[in-house]
Amino acid sequence: MPMVGLGVWKAPADVTAQVVYDAVRLGYRHLDCACDYGNEKAVGEALKRVFAENICTREELWVTSKLWNTYHAREHVPLACQRTLDDLGLDYVDLYLIHFPISLQFVPFEKRYPPEWCAHVRNAVSPRRSLPAAGSPCLQFALI
Amino acid sequence: MIHAIANRSPRCATARTDNGNDGIMRFADVPYRETWEAMEALHAAGKAKHIGVSNLNVQSVIDLLRYAKVKPACNQIENHLFLQQPKLATFCQDMGIAVVGFSPLGAVSYIGMGLAQPKEDALKEPAVQAIAAAKGKTAAQVLLRLQLQRGIAVIPKSQDAGRLAENLDLGGFTLEADEVATLLAMDRNRRFNDPAVYAKGWGEPGSWLAEHGYPLYE
């Protein structure tokens, strides 16, 4: 992993493609992305251009992305990763991180993407994962 | 049952907005281990060459290492002049887990969000500027170089071509031991990206979350 990367947190989606393209042309080979930053499609546009213009190869680039809090359940992790890969236009990421050790209720892609922290389906409780049993250690937080 | 009470609160009923963001954070009861095992499956499938974690403290890393079949390659944590987390960083590195420091320039990204004060800007610290002047470098380069010399990777953000180039150009100079010592001594254990602060706004009125936020790092 290159020790200096470009972080794209808070980079507005409309300028991200140009910033990422400029950065890679300047020599950046490490991009730090995340579903939650809301600009992975723009990063993907930049990468497409970078590869088309032979500025660097996929293998020369280190791309990190992160699993958002609403996709922690076993069945949602691969869906979230694939959505990120599709947006970035990549077959793989070099590093995929669990963004926060905070698990939030699932939000379907079609409802809101990225869902951020507070866009949960009202009254939705996963059928597989209903209320924690009384006395569960996570009760306090689960019920906030 | 208490979920239901929370979901019936007046705030939920009225604060819901068109974009689906109702302003309330709701937890799910997914154990971290389940998520990690799904990450391991992504690794096995070749979708992620490496897998890792972010925002974990030492205890959480220790727990993860007890069951991980694929060791976490990285722990990405907030790290800058005023939040150096030396014990956490060294622990991860000793365990063979790379440390990536986010917000390596400190408060600049947070001042506009109301999560840091302008006076907390490490780029404006006289000691940092003095070292920068002595080296013929910028304050940003000094702050980033400090992290590299601690073995911590950096991911600064910029939209300015000049700053992008500057942030990448960290070779060709070394902070001397006394300069490093000066900078390390400036640690304030000051966290800017802290759900204990910003998650207060996402609790149901009167809830524990609204009162205390989510003190993840305690």
Side-chain angles (χ1 to χ4, degrees):
Chain A
M1 174 173 64
M3 289 294 279
V4 181
L6 174 73
V8 297
W9 179 47
K10 292 178 66 184
D14 58 340
V15 303
T16 297
Q18 188 63 41
V19 169
V20 170
Y21 175 82
D22 289 345
V24 177
R25 211 171 44 170
L26 277 165
Y28 280 83
R29 292 294 179 266
H30 173 173
L31 303 173
D32 186 78
C33 314
C35 152
D36 186 54
Y37 302 162
N39 52 18
E40 289 195 318
K41 274 191 176 163
V43 174
E45 284 170 35
L47 294 181
K48 197 171 165 188
R49 194 172 159 204
V50 158
F51 299 144
E53 296 179 16
N54 293 313
I55 294 168
C56 76
T57 65
R58 172 68 188 94
E59 292 70 33
E60 290 166 336
L61 205 59
W62 179 283
V63 180
T64 297
S65 185
K66 311 186 189 83
L67 176 78
W68 186 239
N69 303 343
T70 51
Y71 310 123
H72 277 209
R74 190 184 304 281
E75 63 272 26
H76 298 144
V77 172
L79 302 179
C81 182
Q82 192 59 52
R83 171 66 189 256
T84 275
L85 290 173
D86 291 346
D87 285 356
L88 293 171
L90 299 176
D91 299 325
Y92 67 91
V93 287
D94 295 275
L95 179 62
Y96 199 49
L97 305 176
I98 302 177
H99 202 146
F100 280 93
I102 299 174
S103 170
L104 299 179
Q105 282 183 23
F106 176 63
V107 179
F109 293 158
E110 60 273 21
K111 178 164 191 289
R112 184 173 163 88
Y113 189 92
E116 303 179 285
W117 295 82
C118 300
H120 315 294
V121 179
R122 205 141 54 100
N123 298 321
V125 176
S126 155
R128 191 169 65 82
R129 223 182 286 289
S130 60
L131 294 169
S136 158
C138 63
L139 197 61
Q140 273 311 108
F141 273 129
L143 300 185
I144 285 168
Chain B
M1 295 149 285
I2 303 177
H3 265 299
I5 290 169
N7 288 339
R8 276 204 307 270
S9 84
R11 168 89 183 256
C12 248
T14 58
R16 203 168 157 81
T17 56
D18 288 338
N19 62 10
N21 185 333
D22 71 0
I24 302 294
M25 182 167 86
R26 296 195 181 81
F27 295 91
D29 52 345
V30 183
Y32 199 79
R33 180 171 186 165
E34 173 178 330
T35 308
W36 186 255
E37 287 171 354
M39 297 285 284
E40 291 176 326
L42 290 176
H43 178 260
K47 300 284 185 182
K49 298 281 183 196
H50 303 84
I51 52 175
V53 297
S54 183
N55 297 303
L56 286 199
N57 63 12
V58 168
Q59 179 54 44
S60 300
V61 172
I62 288 172
D63 187 51
L64 171 60
L65 290 175
R66 286 185 173 131
Y67 57 79
K69 296 189 182 78
V70 178
K71 205 169 86 168
C74 166
N75 187 13
Q76 184 178 126
I77 56 176
E78 180 177 340
N79 216 286
H80 44 74
L81 185 68
F82 295 146
L83 184 71
Q84 297 182 18
Q85 309 206 72
K87 292 176 186 172
L88 174 57
T90 304
F91 172 80
C92 290
Q93 289 166 341
D94 287 351
M95 293 294 128
I97 300 169
V99 177
V100 175
F102 71 77
S103 303
L105 299 177
V108 284
S109 292
Y110 299 94
I111 293 169
M113 303 169 75
L115 294 172
Q117 300 297 315
K119 66 183 179 194
E120 295 181 293
D121 185 353
L123 294 166
K124 300 216 170 81
E125 277 294 311
V128 174
Q129 294 193 339
I131 292 170
K135 296 289 189 192
K137 297 291 172 181
T138 65
Q141 287 173 317
V142 167
L143 293 175
L144 297 173
R145 179 74 203 180
L146 173 68
Q147 299 291 56
L148 296 191
Q149 290 187 212
R150 298 175 64 212
I152 297 175
V154 291
I155 46 170
K157 173 189 71 111
S158 180
Q159 292 165 34
D160 175 83
R163 288 202 182 124
L164 283 173
E166 177 186 317
N167 291 344
L168 189 61
D169 180 25
L170 304 177
F173 82 109
T174 304
L175 298 170
E176 308 304 330
D178 62 320
E179 294 166 332
V180 171
T182 296
L183 296 169
L184 293 182
M186 295 174 73
D187 193 5
R188 296 178 186 172
N189 199 30
R190 171 68 165 103
R191 189 183 298 280
F192 298 119
N193 192 327
D194 192 352
V197 176
Y198 54 75
K200 281 183 186 173
W202 302 334
E204 300 280 356
S207 68
W208 197 92
L209 182 63
E211 183 75 16
H212 301 280
Y214 190 96
L216 174 64
Y217 301 102
E218 295 302 321

